[in-house]
Amino acid sequence: MKTKIFAHRGSKGTRPENTLISFQAAIDAGADGIETDVQLSKDGKLIIMHDEKIDRTTNLTGRVTDLTLAELKKADAGVKFSDEYRGEQIPTLEEVIELLKRNNFKGTFNLELKTNHIEYQGIEELVNEQMRQLPADIHLLYSSFNPNSIRRMQKINPEAEFASLFQFKIKESRLLAKNHLITSLHPDVTWLRERHGLFWPKLLIRPWTVNSTKNMIYCFKKKYDAIFTDYPAKALEVRKNIQGD
């Protein structure tokens, strides 16, 4: 089995992150999976955004939780990346699902529940309801830095796959694995390399964010289940050289 390539916030290295044009670029490149982040707006809409604030990636300011969908749609999510992408909007989860459907995407959709700083009340139930629109031939994968979010989501939809994200500390992830709540780990690639990739053999390993050629080669030679990268097109070329067509 080849190591799968998951596009981190879309083709984040070549397009404005977490925008429809970024996800489209990743699909066009041939990525095996799409990774993105979901939060809740002031009026309870499922918003695709990594940071709790929109300041870094758009021309406006404020927290996602303090802004309505209409207010968020006024933000330009492309101009800070490049003037070429001026006018790109912050998408909703529904809009991303529709994009996947239009492209007949059949890979993995990894949705990170961004609840590690703000525990959006009821977000798991809302996400589960929205995911009913996801085609059956798309593999659904939930992840979070917040173990409580994983526990809540697992109770709502025990049939889905769950992964624990972590950067330095693995204690909570080990506990989730011990209780059979996750089947995979998503560690920081630097953390992973420093510890020589020693993990429980029953867990799938998908490191992030694997952008350098050196780290890509390392992961492909280790034959990890998948990598998260900002450069899916580049990763596909490197994988071809290491693991073949």
Side-chain angles (χ1 to χ4, degrees):
M1 294 292 291
K2 290 183 182 178
T3 298
K4 293 181 284 292
I5 293 167
F6 290 175
H8 182 237
R9 305 179 211 168
S11 185
K12 178 178 175 288
T14 64
R15 302 290 190 279
E17 68 178 69
N18 276 339
T19 60
L20 295 181
I21 198 169
S22 185
F23 301 131
Q24 186 65 59
I27 293 169
D28 292 343
D32 302 299
I34 302 294
E35 185 271 350
T36 189
D37 317 272
V38 67
Q39 301 189 50
L40 269 185
S41 66
K42 183 178 180 179
D43 50 348
K45 304 302 181 182
L46 294 165
I47 305 298
I48 299 301
M49 176 63 62
H50 177 269
D51 300 0
E52 283 69 27
K53 293 183 176 181
I54 66 172
D55 304 40
R56 178 178 62 86
T57 57
T58 81
N59 63 333
L60 299 182
T61 62
R63 298 193 309 168
V64 173
T65 189
D66 295 331
L67 300 168
T68 65
L69 175 60
E71 290 169 329
L72 290 163
K73 283 295 186 181
K74 292 178 182 177
D76 191 317
V79 69
K80 277 195 172 181
F81 185 89
S82 169
D83 197 62
E84 178 183 354
Y85 302 112
R86 181 183 294 274
E88 284 297 312
Q89 292 184 322
I90 298 171
T92 63
L93 177 57
E94 182 179 15
E95 288 172 331
V96 175
I97 292 174
E98 287 303 313
L99 178 73
L100 298 178
K101 290 163 71 173
R102 287 197 302 273
N103 283 272
N104 197 30
F105 182 72
K106 297 184 184 301
T108 296
F109 184 42
N110 179 191
L111 187 63
E112 179 183 344
L113 301 165
K114 290 293 295 184
T115 55
N116 48 315
H117 294 297
I118 300 174
E119 292 215 29
Y120 299 103
Q121 187 173 1
I123 190 172
E124 292 86 6
E125 289 82 1
L126 289 170
V127 166
N128 183 64
E129 186 62 30
Q130 186 66 70
M131 283 304 183
R132 295 179 186 274
Q133 305 302 317
L134 197 69
D137 50 6
I138 293 179
H139 177 63
L140 177 58
L141 169 62
Y142 289 116
S143 60
S144 183
F145 283 98
N146 183 351
N148 292 325
S149 219
I150 290 178
R151 292 185 183 102
R152 286 191 293 266
M153 197 77 231
Q154 206 272 344
K155 285 183 180 179
I156 296 168
N157 184 5
E159 300 304 315
E161 182 184 357
F162 296 88
S164 180
L165 278 157
F166 67 95
Q167 188 166 14
F168 304 114
K169 299 178 181 179
I170 195 174
K171 182 179 178 181
E172 286 286 355
S173 299
R174 288 189 184 278
L175 184 60
L176 289 170
K178 183 179 179 180
N179 293 326
H180 307 290
L181 294 176
I182 60 171
T183 57
S184 48
L185 292 174
H186 295 179
D188 182 312
V189 68
T190 302
W191 187 99
L192 184 66
R193 294 200 66 167
E194 288 176 352
R195 284 153 183 78
H196 309 292
L198 296 177
F199 279 103
W200 295 341
K202 292 183 180 180
L203 294 175
L204 300 173
I205 307 301
R206 305 184 185 110
W208 58 270
T209 305
V210 185
N211 288 337
S212 71
T213 301
K214 180 180 178 181
N215 280 341
M216 287 179 184
I217 291 172
Y218 172 83
C219 292
F220 293 143
K221 286 187 174 180
K222 287 287 186 180
K223 297 183 178 179
Y224 292 132
D225 182 71
I227 63 168
F228 293 91
T229 180
D230 297 340
Y231 300 93
K234 171 186 173 181
L236 284 159
E237 286 298 316
V238 177
R239 184 181 69 180
K240 182 179 179 180
N241 292 332
I242 302 299
Q243 296 183 347
D245 293 326

